[in-house]
Amino acid sequence: MSQSSTLFIGMDVHKDTIAVAYVAQEHGAEVTYLGTIGTRQCDIDQLVRKMQSKAKHLIFVYEAGPCGYWLYRYLTKKGYDCWVVAPSLIPKKAGDRVKTDRRDAVQLARLARSGDLTVVYVPTVDDEAIRDLTRAREDALSDGKDAKFRLKAFLLRHDIRYTGRANWGPAHLRWLSEVVCPTPAQQIVFQEYVRAVTEHAERLQRLDQELQEHVRAWRLHAVVEALQALRGVQFTVAVTMVAEIGDLTRFDTPRELMKFLGLIPSEYSSGERRHQGAITKAGNTHARRALVEGAWAYRYPAKVSRHLQLRLEKQPKMIQDISWKAQVRLCKRYRHLVARGKHANIVTVAIARELAGFMWAIAKQLPVAA
């Protein structure tokens, strides 16, 4: 093999093993399966030395997955090209029902040479740290909802009913402190459920405070602040969007951002028949969920509330104009779609899609973060 050739190295990465296959760039070259190696740094270094004896230019390829980006960062730090590709966008034959580590590694090497793989965005270490904080907060919120559900289900089973209006407010919490169960064993269960709700609430509060402190020193803090000029996009929604997506301006057009979020409609068209279905739901689930949550604010008429005005005062006039333009358009569109008989959930997703475009427009007005 010529030393001037490029070598594509497909790696099927697991917790303790990596299956490796490689192929030269030259047309007609066969894919060679190298075998399985370990995941230690010395194993990676040995693989690199072996591949360097076959070609000068090495391109490593592996799928994004639960093992994270440590391999990408280790290889790029040493000066090698490394692609992390989207597993859901890897071409697959309809009749192929056999999946092994060897076949996956061979397929990655072959598709990398043909240019049929989609490379994903890899966040920096600091960006991923903020992303981990936002996801930990999301987990704490979900765990808290589950704990409340278990407590309410326990009370319902024993016909212990709260007659007040709002749950989990001060009056409801005072009522919970006075509940007496029929037996001592059930009282213990009740107190454990109450304690779980309290612990999850405290955990959520701690994570909120940590997130606020770390975002202030983040390189994308200005983008998070600017996005909060939009109605429905408060701190949690803004930081989740930026942490999950990174630099919004890395997308050339707003539609590319909408596509990344999985908010564009699916389509199945043939001949003269054109059919559009539900949204694709491709891309980042966490960012899409936060965006749809913020889009619910546009079901009310356009108005600058006191809280929104306080956020707008920190931003230049150009961003304030984009915020008002978004309100006028999206509130009007929400009413228009509802009047046509569309379900509120479908309308809100349509609003979220356009809201992503206004976020992209605001990010374009800011200087690129280093």
Side-chain angles (χ1 to χ4, degrees):
M1 184 178 298
S2 174
Q3 285 289 327
S4 62
S5 65
T6 299
L7 210 61
F8 294 92
I9 305 163
M11 299 184 294
D12 189 39
V13 181
H14 297 279
K15 178 182 177 181
D16 298 317
T17 61
I18 302 176
V20 182
Y22 62 91
V23 63
Q25 188 178 26
E26 286 74 20
H27 178 71
E30 292 293 331
V31 182
T32 303
Y33 179 65
L34 186 64
T36 302
I37 65 172
T39 56
R40 297 173 301 174
Q41 291 185 0
C42 60
D43 298 323
I44 305 301
D45 292 339
Q46 184 178 1
L47 172 65
V48 170
R49 288 193 298 269
K50 186 177 294 186
M51 293 297 100
Q52 280 180 327
S53 65
K54 301 178 182 297
K56 292 183 178 179
H57 185 207
L58 305 179
I59 300 178
F60 296 88
V61 184
Y62 72 96
E63 299 178 32
C67 294
Y69 305 113
W70 68 268
L71 183 56
Y72 168 87
R73 293 184 178 124
Y74 183 74
L75 290 171
T76 53
K77 187 177 180 180
K78 287 183 168 294
Y80 301 106
D81 291 334
C82 185
W83 300 349
V84 184
V85 300
S88 60
L89 299 179
I90 295 177
K92 290 182 174 63
K93 296 179 181 179
D96 191 356
R97 303 298 184 190
V98 179
K99 182 186 183 304
T100 64
D101 294 349
R102 174 173 182 160
R103 290 170 68 96
D104 288 345
V106 169
Q107 184 185 39
L108 283 173
R110 182 184 295 113
L111 293 176
R113 181 179 63 175
S114 62
D116 292 327
L117 296 176
T118 302
V119 180
V120 303
Y121 164 75
V122 179
T124 64
V125 175
D126 292 336
D127 292 356
E128 190 175 19
I130 300 296
R131 178 188 290 185
D132 288 338
L133 264 179
T134 60
R135 292 186 180 181
R137 183 197 177 278
E138 187 177 334
D139 292 339
L141 185 62
S142 177
D143 293 342
K145 289 180 179 179
D146 292 341
K148 290 177 181 178
F149 175 80
R150 295 188 189 102
L151 174 58
K152 293 177 72 174
F154 173 82
L155 294 175
L156 181 62
R157 285 199 305 271
H158 299 285
D159 196 29
I160 302 174
R161 301 174 183 271
Y162 175 60
T163 58
R165 300 178 62 182
N167 287 335
W168 312 114
H172 185 216
L173 296 178
R174 286 194 298 270
W175 175 80
L176 286 174
S177 65
E178 298 171 357
V179 170
V180 178
C181 296
T183 66
Q186 291 170 333
Q187 188 68 32
I188 290 175
V189 174
F190 169 74
Q191 294 297 338
E192 288 294 335
Y193 280 144
V194 172
R195 183 179 179 183
V197 172
T198 304
E199 289 176 349
H200 287 306
E202 293 173 351
R203 172 185 163 202
L204 181 62
Q205 185 177 7
R206 290 195 303 270
L207 288 170
D208 278 332
Q209 293 175 354
E210 292 295 332
L211 192 58
Q212 291 275 1
E213 293 178 5
H214 284 82
V215 167
R216 292 193 192 100
W218 192 26
R219 68 181 183 93
L220 296 173
H221 175 252
V223 183
V224 175
E225 289 291 319
L227 292 183
Q228 294 180 65
L230 292 166
R231 180 177 181 174
V233 184
Q234 298 186 16
F235 175 77
T236 302
V237 176
V239 73
T240 301
M241 284 291 295
V242 179
E244 295 293 340
I245 299 174
D247 183 10
L248 274 66
T249 59
R250 65 189 176 91
F251 300 96
D252 295 331
T253 63
R255 184 166 180 80
E256 290 185 8
L257 174 58
M258 300 171 190
K259 181 180 178 182
F260 173 80
L261 292 169
L263 290 170
I264 62 173
S266 58
E267 183 172 348
Y268 185 81
S269 301
S270 179
E272 297 180 356
R273 179 178 176 275
R274 183 171 184 262
H275 173 74
Q276 286 187 312
I279 58 173
T280 62
K281 292 188 179 180
N284 195 291
T285 305
H286 304 276
R288 182 171 61 253
R289 184 186 298 115
L291 191 61
V292 172
E293 180 182 339
W296 279 103
Y298 292 92
R299 65 187 186 275
Y300 303 110
K303 175 187 175 182
V304 178
S305 65
R306 182 174 66 87
H307 296 289
L308 180 58
Q309 181 61 39
L310 292 175
R311 302 201 301 266
L312 286 171
E313 289 174 355
K314 304 176 184 178
Q315 303 301 326
K317 186 177 183 304
M318 186 172 295
I319 293 180
Q320 294 181 21
D321 293 342
I322 295 175
S323 173
W324 180 245
K325 181 180 178 181
Q327 275 217 61
V328 172
R329 174 175 172 79
L330 298 183
C331 292
K332 179 180 178 181
R333 182 160 175 77
Y334 189 96
R335 295 194 304 271
H336 174 69
L337 292 175
V338 169
R340 288 176 53 190
K342 299 289 185 181
H343 193 278
N345 292 344
I346 296 176
V347 175
T348 305
V349 170
I351 299 302
R353 178 168 56 248
E354 294 199 25
L355 181 59
F358 284 106
M359 288 184 171
W360 181 87
I362 286 179
K364 275 288 186 181
Q365 304 300 323
L366 302 173
V368 179

